[in-house]
Amino acid sequence: MTEFLLALLPIAALLICLLVLNLSAKHSASIAFLIALAEFVIWFKPGIEGIRITLSKGMIMAVFVGLIALGAMLLYNLVDISGGFGVINNFLSKIFKDEFALFIMITWTFSAFLQGIAGYGLPAVIATTILIKSGFDVAKSAAASLLGHSWAITFGSMGSSIFAIDLVTDSPIKEILVKMSSFGSIGMLCCGLGVCFIYGGVKALLKGLKYIVPTWIVMTIALVIMAKMEMVSVIGFVTGMIGVAVMIILHKVFNKKDSSSGEKINDKKSLLNSVMPYIMVIVMSIGFFIINPGLKLSFSFSGYETALGAVVAAEEDYVTFNILKYPFTIILITTVVSVIYYCKINLMKRKDINTIVKATVKKIKSTEITLLLLLCTASIMMDSGMTTILSTTIVEFAGKGYAFMSSVIGMLGAFITGSNTNANILFGSLQETAALSLGIAPAVICAVQSVSASVGGAIGPTTTALVAATADKSGKESEIYRYTLVPTIITAVILGLLALPAV
């Protein structure tokens, strides 16, 4: 029990600082990191070389995620300063006369469509930006964007989370994928309802059923079909795209009078110019995925033995930058091309480039520090065995109730690592082993692991910090957690309860 409490302490400290003391993500992450580091040095005794290797792992993960965060903010400021968001908002206001329907579509289906192509918080950043520029409440926009797209994380990023759990488990991927689509459908519904609740409480939740239920049914059918066909790489992209189409149709059906009297969209060229950077990101993401260029930069780490005789295994290709498929590269290319084009058509002036750079650095600085601290903490917890202690203790205490607790472990993994993919790598094998030892269907538990980790992304400190920076809420992350925490926990509980029949 002592080991369990010590392993839990960094996470508990992080939660208390964020949610009870209302400290900023940067300060909360600092406290969690210092606690984890102190435990690592005193309890695990890794030595100077061990500390260097473990912290280096956290730092390289921070570079990987931090560059994407930097790119997302750069793209945001580019479109903002060039006046693109004003044009996009004008277009959306003419298409969607019902602001509530617009809110649901952007946060629940459009963001899921984006997640299918490129994750790492970018979908939530884009959705938050559009909503804020459309005049919606800042904290609600950020929270709904985080929660709304979270169901799609496990099916997004061209299937990276699915490939990850396939790598660390022995269960047939088709069995896991089919079960994942079933649990993913429940997560999808919960997130849709949660978005409505964030918008306006129970009243909005009931009002939103006419949009949520039909769209959910159609998306579920698409999700299940593609899962059975093992269309791993496009499952999130296609499901989200279908969801957007259904939402547009439903809006036209439910708002016939408003639609018929709406203004015509005249300046299509301005709209195209405004969304051009995002179109480029999507096209290049798909194009490089199909071409699959082999230009890679990998970082490997040697193993070490602690003073207590514990061995930390060597890590081959711990972090791999597939240069042309890497989101930051795609965003950087997009930014350069867009700046040249915008200057040529007089949407921007050269002096605006300096403004974009300064605005990006100012907004992202605190977020980058938070990311570094959190990912170093995650690295410490993984190398020291704290994460294993947490999960194995839960298995021992839960027994046959482990099917329910598997969702807690999945969410915990996403919270610690800030990634659905990393959570699946970290806990996928353990979840399968525990399921087999308890006589539980492993495909079910693996599916719950991935989907609960996916939904857990809505409260991940790294992603929340990134979106908070976009919403100009750095240091005020607690305002966002006030909306995301309860729906996320409820979803995890529901997923866990639905897994119990597998026992």
Side-chain angles (χ1 to χ4, degrees):
M1 179 56 73
T2 302
E3 287 187 342
F4 175 77
L5 292 176
L6 286 171
L8 185 64
L9 189 56
I11 299 173
L14 182 64
L15 287 171
I16 291 169
C17 290
L18 282 171
L19 305 176
V20 179
L21 301 179
N22 289 329
L23 297 181
S24 68
K26 181 173 68 176
H27 291 118
S28 300
S30 299
I31 292 170
F33 168 72
L34 291 174
I35 290 172
L37 182 61
E39 289 186 349
F40 188 46
V41 173
I42 297 169
W43 176 21
F44 199 61
K45 302 184 186 305
I48 299 298
E49 182 64 9
I51 294 173
R52 184 192 67 79
I53 292 172
T54 294
L55 291 184
S56 295
K57 292 177 183 176
M59 289 176 187
I60 198 63
M61 286 194 294
V63 171
F64 185 86
V65 178
L67 283 176
I68 297 169
L70 176 67
M73 188 60 65
L74 186 66
L75 190 65
Y76 161 77
N77 286 317
L78 167 67
V79 178
D80 186 30
I81 291 172
S82 67
F85 286 120
V87 177
I88 293 171
N89 295 337
N90 186 45
F91 166 74
L92 290 173
S93 67
K94 291 176 180 177
I95 293 294
F96 278 85
K97 296 300 179 182
D98 184 347
E99 289 188 351
F100 182 38
L102 173 63
F103 190 83
I104 296 172
M105 190 276 287
I106 294 294
T107 58
W108 187 49
T109 59
F110 178 68
S111 59
F113 160 76
L114 294 175
Q115 179 64 40
I117 301 162
Y120 305 102
L122 188 60
V125 167
I126 294 173
T128 300
T129 301
I130 292 173
L131 290 175
I132 291 174
K133 293 297 180 179
S134 296
F136 290 98
D137 179 85
V138 175
K140 287 184 176 182
S141 296
S145 298
L146 283 164
L147 178 67
H149 92 292
S150 64
W151 68 269
I153 295 175
T154 198
F155 304 105
S157 301
M158 299 296 184
S160 62
S161 297
I162 299 170
F163 289 124
I165 203 162
D166 183 38
L167 287 171
V168 298
T169 60
D170 294 322
S171 300
I173 187 59
K174 186 171 184 177
E175 290 183 16
I176 296 176
L177 196 53
V178 170
K179 294 296 182 183
M180 201 181 287
S181 67
S182 299
F183 285 103
S185 170
I186 301 303
M188 181 197 302
L189 177 61
C190 290
C191 289
L193 295 175
V195 161
C196 295
F197 188 78
I198 289 172
Y199 182 87
V202 176
K203 185 177 179 181
L205 190 154
L206 295 174
K207 180 183 175 183
L209 289 175
K210 65 181 182 181
Y211 289 111
I212 298 295
V213 174
T215 307
W216 168 64
I217 291 172
V218 176
M219 285 200 294
T220 294
I221 292 171
L223 189 63
V224 171
I225 290 173
M226 286 188 291
K228 289 183 176 179
M229 295 175 66
E230 298 184 64
M231 297 173 67
V232 176
S233 298
V234 297
I235 189 169
F237 168 76
V238 174
T239 303
M241 183 174 63
I242 289 172
V244 170
V246 174
M247 279 294 301
I248 292 173
I249 293 169
L250 288 174
H251 177 265
K252 288 184 177 180
V253 170
F254 295 136
N255 298 274
K256 286 182 179 178
K257 291 183 180 179
D258 290 338
S259 297
S260 60
S261 59
E263 303 171 60
K264 290 184 178 179
I265 301 162
N266 297 318
D267 200 349
K268 294 182 180 179
K269 186 176 180 180
S270 294
L271 176 63
L272 184 61
N273 286 333
S274 300
V275 299
M276 186 194 76
Y278 293 119
I279 293 174
M280 283 185 65
V281 169
I282 293 169
V283 170
M284 279 196 288
S285 296
I286 296 172
F288 286 138
F289 177 79
I290 294 172
I291 297 169
N292 194 22
L295 185 60
K296 295 180 181 180
L297 177 63
S298 295
F299 291 85
S300 301
F301 295 92
S302 57
Y304 63 91
E305 185 174 346
T306 72
L308 299 178
V311 176
V312 175
E315 300 279 0
E316 192 71 25
D317 298 333
Y318 187 77
V319 173
T320 299
F321 294 76
N322 190 318
I323 305 299
L324 292 178
K325 291 172 68 176
Y326 183 45
F328 176 71
T329 306
I330 292 172
I331 291 171
L332 189 61
I333 294 171
T334 296
T335 301
V336 171
V337 173
S338 298
V339 166
I340 294 171
Y341 176 67
Y342 284 169
C343 287
K344 187 175 181 180
I345 64 173
N346 296 319
L347 269 182
M348 279 178 55
K349 297 180 180 178
R350 288 190 177 182
K351 66 178 182 179
D352 291 329
I353 298 173
N354 189 44
T355 304
I356 291 170
V357 172
K358 284 184 177 179
T360 300
V361 172
K362 182 181 178 181
K363 288 183 178 180
I364 205 65
K365 185 167 59 175
S366 179
T367 300
E368 297 290 357
I369 295 170
T370 303
L371 290 171
L372 174 63
L373 291 166
L374 287 172
L375 288 168
C376 283
T377 302
S379 181
I380 288 171
M381 293 189 69
M382 287 187 280
D383 276 3
S384 66
M386 291 184 202
T387 51
T388 302
I389 290 169
L390 289 173
S391 56
T392 51
T393 304
I394 291 171
V395 171
E396 290 173 6
F397 275 94
K400 288 293 184 180
Y402 179 79
F404 173 80
M405 296 305 297
S406 62
S407 67
V408 177
I409 294 173
M411 185 170 290
L412 181 66
F415 186 84
I416 294 171
T417 67
S419 164
N420 190 172
T421 299
N422 289 345
N424 284 352
I425 291 171
L426 184 62
F427 288 139
S429 180
L430 184 143
Q431 294 266 38
E432 183 182 51
T433 302
L436 290 169
S437 67
L438 294 168
I440 304 172
V444 171
I445 300 304
C446 289
V448 173
Q449 152 67 34
S450 192
V451 175
S452 59
S454 177
V455 176
I459 56 172
T462 52
T463 311
T464 301
L466 172 60
V467 174
T470 303
D472 202 21
K473 287 285 183 182
S474 290
K476 300 177 183 178
E477 289 82 4
S478 59
E479 293 182 23
I480 299 173
Y481 277 115
R482 185 160 61 93
Y483 293 109
T484 57
L485 193 60
V486 173
T488 303
I489 292 173
I490 290 174
T491 303
V493 169
I494 292 172
L495 291 170
L497 289 173
L498 290 173
L500 283 174
V503 178

